[in-house]
Amino acid sequence: MQEQAEEGNLSQPYIDDSGTFIKFDDVKALEDGLPLELVQNTKEDYDKANAYLAKQQPKFFIQAKANCGGTNKFVGNIVAGTVYVDSCKTNKIIAIIAGGGGASSLVALLPGGAAIAVVAVAIYTIGGAVISYNAADGNGIKIKILKKPITGKVYSYWVKPQ
């Protein structure tokens, strides 16, 4: 799973999730030398997530960016913390998981970027159903995590609405 976090870090500069859909500049990623398989997998994950968003969440499309409930941030230290993800990013996370996307595709959607990329693995293991349930009020989610200092593995142990 650490490998997926590292792959997500590589593709992160080519991802824009500021709008309704997740945009991935696969052409630029290939030009800059990212591995072909990584680029193809990332593009496929986001294409599936965007299809899910278009089909399952029509009201999401009419929301302006300013209408996203909650905040995006990471509060913590090297062994524990809380990841806050607003409602718009939470919807995209749910779409990636529902589409069968990998944890590496979640990295660009998380606050804190590369510094907490391994958190994507913890979020991925939670599953879309738990995230959807806790995001139902439209204010995003917050996830408590623990990191083992020796191994670097990250574990989520608590998910709640913001």
Side-chain angles (χ1 to χ4, degrees):
M1 289 299 232
Q2 180 67 32
E3 182 181 323
Q4 287 192 351
E6 291 169 7
E7 288 177 348
N9 282 334
L10 289 174
S11 59
Q12 192 173 37
Y14 308 98
I15 298 167
D16 176 11
D17 71 330
S18 63
T20 301
F21 295 108
I22 304 167
K23 297 176 185 173
F24 177 59
D25 191 348
D26 57 323
V27 174
K28 179 73 172 140
L30 286 171
E31 286 175 0
D32 288 351
L34 263 66
L36 177 62
E37 184 177 0
L38 172 61
V39 171
Q40 289 173 333
N41 290 341
T42 303
K43 181 171 178 10
E44 182 178 313
D45 286 353
Y46 291 146
D47 287 347
K48 287 178 183 177
N50 288 334
Y52 177 88
L53 289 168
K55 183 178 178 186
Q56 300 295 323
Q57 301 176 29
K59 70 178 185 171
F60 180 67
F61 293 109
I62 57 173
Q63 288 181 338
K65 179 68 177 163
N67 291 339
C68 297
T71 186
N72 294 303
K73 63 183 177 180
F74 174 75
V75 178
N77 55 39
I78 62 168
V79 294
T82 304
V83 178
Y84 294 82
V85 184
D86 74 22
S87 61
C88 294
K89 288 183 185 285
T90 299
N91 287 337
K92 292 171 184 168
I93 288 170
I94 293 166
I96 290 169
I97 293 171
S104 62
S105 296
L106 299 178
V107 172
L109 305 180
L110 298 176
I116 62 161
V118 291
V119 174
V121 176
I123 290 172
Y124 188 78
T125 61
I126 292 170
V130 173
I131 294 172
S132 293
Y133 176 79
N134 284 287
D137 65 358
N139 291 323
I141 58 173
K142 55 185 176 181
I143 303 167
K144 294 273 190 182
I145 60 160
L146 290 173
K147 182 178 180 184
K148 288 189 170 183
I150 295 172
T151 64
K153 291 184 178 181
V154 176
Y155 303 93
S156 58
Y157 66 92
W158 182 84
V159 180
K160 295 285 182 190
Q162 283 191 41

